Amino acid sequence: MSLLNYFKRKSLQSASVSASVAKDRLQIILAREHGNRNEPDYLPKLKQELLAVVSKYVNVDISAISVTRDRDGDCEILELNITLPEPEVTK
Amino acid sequence: MAKVIVVTSGKGGVGKTTTSASFATGLALRGKRTAVIDFDVGLRNLDLIMGCERRVVYDFVNVLNGEARLKQALIKDKNCDNLFILPASQTRDKEALTQEGVERILNELKETFDYIVCDSPAGIEKGALMALYFADEAIIVTNPEISSVRDSDRILGILSAKSHRAVNDAEPIKEHLVITRFSPTRAEMGEMLSVVDVTELLSIPLLGVIPESETVLSSSNAGIPVINDKDSSGGQAYVDVVSRFLGEEVPMRFLDVEKKGLLKRIFG
Ligand SMILES: Nc1ncnc2c1ncn2[C@@H]1O[C@H](COP(=O)(O)OP(=O)(O)OP(=O)(O)O)[C@@H](O)[C@H]1O
Ligand SMILES: [Mg+2]
């Protein structure tokens, strides 16, 4: 390795992680998007409407609602999960 | 049997038209009767890259609307006897791109050509969907860059769910990955996703890697697809892509940083 290269490499050590960060982020997002691939077209709208109803009573945002469609043998299951927020702690 | 091949990517500006032009030219140079269609209705570009812009009389939409016959609209390439170009229209709206219309034209082309290459517009709107709908094989053009990889993945999802083959439960579209604008130096330094990274993420077979190459721009300027430039790395990489597509085993090139001479090794 030449001397110049040595310095180049030093200054690049921070950059050298950037591609692997990109790869990690892509792995996560692609996995999530693959999960959404076979979701029926009405699911996003269903989530929005559920959110509208639920938030009349509890303060939740869309990420707290998960709706998935699954198949168990002959049986199609629509699974609905709403994570309620932690009750507020009064100090 | 004639084959329809879509060149697609989701993301814009990654090299679809560059790839369509060189790939189609390469097939024709190998003796295959080839037609290349510009699906980018409203933004005609392929004619410029192929250097036939002054000979456009009728376009794809004219044929779809029955205003011209296919034979009148097809432009014979100036260098290559086996190659014909069907240009996009510049003005008409995309509504002319109907499934029935596109199918009719493709079927007519299949009677005379071995390969029909469809240069897709960017995005996942009608033009892109029509370009891929009837495909038998797909070339996914991807830059080693985060948003390009994600968009390519999205397009793979559409190919496997919304194409004619998918809808009719036929054999799936055969997918090929072409990584373009790859810079070995930047990948080695860890600034750019590597070829292995991109191939793993998309998990489809790699057909080739086209390095970032200055001759791509000068070739576009001249209207001669870069594959004709036998001295450039870009041109050679496209020649390899065509050979592999035709079933030959050709080792990958231009993946590593060039070995340097002594002086260069000292002065970097
Ligand atoms: N291997 C390469 N090296 C250098 N420049 C390239 C390379 N491939 C493509 N380019 C440049 O990138 C730009 C976009 O290329 P091109 O028009 O082929 O992309 P596209 O995917 O068809 O774009 P659009 O989505 O707008 O249709 C052009 O300026 C082209 O010269
Ligand atoms: Mg284009």
Side-chain angles (χ1 to χ4, degrees):
Chain A
M1 201 188 340
S2 79
L3 203 60
L4 279 180
N5 250 332
Y6 173 78
F7 285 114
K8 263 200 223 157
R9 252 165 236 258
K10 277 240 112 155
S11 67
L12 282 167
Q13 246 150 30
S14 57
S16 73
V17 292
S18 85
S20 61
V21 172
K23 188 179 187 191
D24 292 345
R25 292 174 61 210
L26 275 166
Q27 264 164 341
I28 294 164
I29 191 71
L30 295 193
R32 191 164 91 205
E33 285 171 356
H34 290 180
N36 296 344
R37 255 188 208 172
N38 22 15
E39 79 173 15
D41 293 342
Y42 61 75
L43 273 193
K45 190 138 185 277
L46 176 67
K47 275 190 209 173
Q48 281 298 340
E49 290 179 10
L50 276 171
L51 178 68
V53 175
V54 176
S55 51
K56 276 190 197 167
Y57 304 94
V58 211
N59 184 20
V60 293
D61 77 18
I62 192 100
S63 64
I65 300 182
S66 96
V67 187
T68 48
R69 208 179 59 161
D70 248 322
R71 180 172 276 285
D72 185 6
D74 289 343
C75 197
E76 283 225 42
I77 303 167
L78 190 67
E79 194 179 277
L80 169 63
N81 257 301
I82 303 175
T83 319
L84 295 178
E86 299 272 324
E88 259 177 59
V89 202
T90 38
K91 285 175 206 161
Chain B
M1 242 314 255
K3 276 206 177 116
V4 178
I5 303 148
V6 64
V7 178
T8 182
S9 69
K11 189 170 158 66
V14 297
K16 293 178 292 297
T17 301
T18 305
T19 300
S20 301
S22 277
F23 182 68
T25 303
L27 288 173
L29 289 172
R30 296 288 299 266
K32 310 291 179 192
R33 285 164 302 174
T34 308
V36 54
I37 309 179
D38 189 347
F39 269 81
D40 209 342
V41 171
L43 291 171
R44 176 196 290 167
N45 273 325
L46 183 68
D47 58 333
L48 280 178
I49 306 299
M50 304 284 303
C52 65
E53 70 280 2
R54 299 211 323 248
R55 289 187 291 142
V56 175
V57 181
Y58 296 109
D59 60 51
F60 192 18
V61 170
N62 289 138
V63 184
L64 283 163
N65 289 343
E67 296 151 2
R69 277 176 302 120
L70 183 57
K71 287 217 174 67
Q72 296 176 294
L74 283 172
I75 304 170
K76 189 167 176 294
D77 185 70
K78 56 185 187 299
N79 301 315
C80 222
D81 278 347
N82 298 319
L83 181 59
F84 287 81
I85 299 118
L86 184 54
S89 87
Q90 269 180 310
T91 50
R92 308 303 182 77
D93 62 320
K94 301 177 176 65
E95 294 314 304
L97 283 180
T98 61
Q99 222 164 66
E100 300 71 40
V102 172
E103 183 170 32
R104 178 171 55 82
I105 293 182
L106 289 177
N107 282 340
E108 201 177 330
L109 287 169
K110 281 182 185 177
E111 289 168 15
T112 21
F113 291 97
D114 301 316
Y115 291 102
I116 300 147
V117 178
C118 303
D119 178 19
S120 173
I124 50 170
E125 302 301 315
K126 192 157 191 189
L129 295 181
M130 278 302 117
L132 68 78
Y133 191 73
F134 293 105
D136 301 304
E137 307 201 17
I139 292 182
I140 313 295
V141 179
T142 308
N143 291 167
E145 176 269 321
I146 192 159
S147 56
S148 174
V149 173
R150 183 202 211 167
D151 290 357
S152 292
D153 187 69
R154 188 82 194 279
I155 282 289
L156 288 171
I158 293 172
L159 286 171
S160 62
K162 304 230 166 97
S163 63
H164 183 265
R165 280 174 177 250
V167 172
N168 292 285
D169 277 324
E171 195 187 323
I173 292 175
K174 190 169 177 194
E175 299 153 340
H176 310 271
L177 176 61
V178 171
I179 299 176
T180 57
R181 311 203 68 166
F182 181 71
S183 159
T185 323
R186 304 192 66 193
E188 185 172 87
M189 295 193 302
E191 295 178 348
M192 184 183 258
L193 288 166
S194 70
V195 169
V196 174
D197 289 342
V198 177
T199 312
E200 268 177 25
L201 284 161
L202 293 174
S203 56
I204 57 171
L206 179 65
L207 186 63
V209 179
I210 315 298
E212 176 76 24
S213 153
E214 280 167 22
T215 40
V216 170
L217 185 61
S218 51
S219 302
S220 318
N221 288 342
I224 303 166
V226 68
I227 194 168
N228 291 298
D229 187 342
K230 298 282 180 298
D231 298 326
S232 86
S233 56
Q236 292 169 2
Y238 277 117
V239 170
D240 290 356
V241 161
V242 171
S243 305
R244 287 189 203 105
F245 183 85
L246 294 175
E248 290 157 33
E249 280 201 29
V250 181
M252 294 283 168
R253 293 194 266 178
F254 316 113
L255 299 188
D256 300 314
V257 181
E258 265 177 69
K259 299 271 179 300
K260 290 172 183 165
L262 182 65
L263 280 179
K264 276 197 168 174
R265 239 188 281 164
I266 295 169
F267 296 106

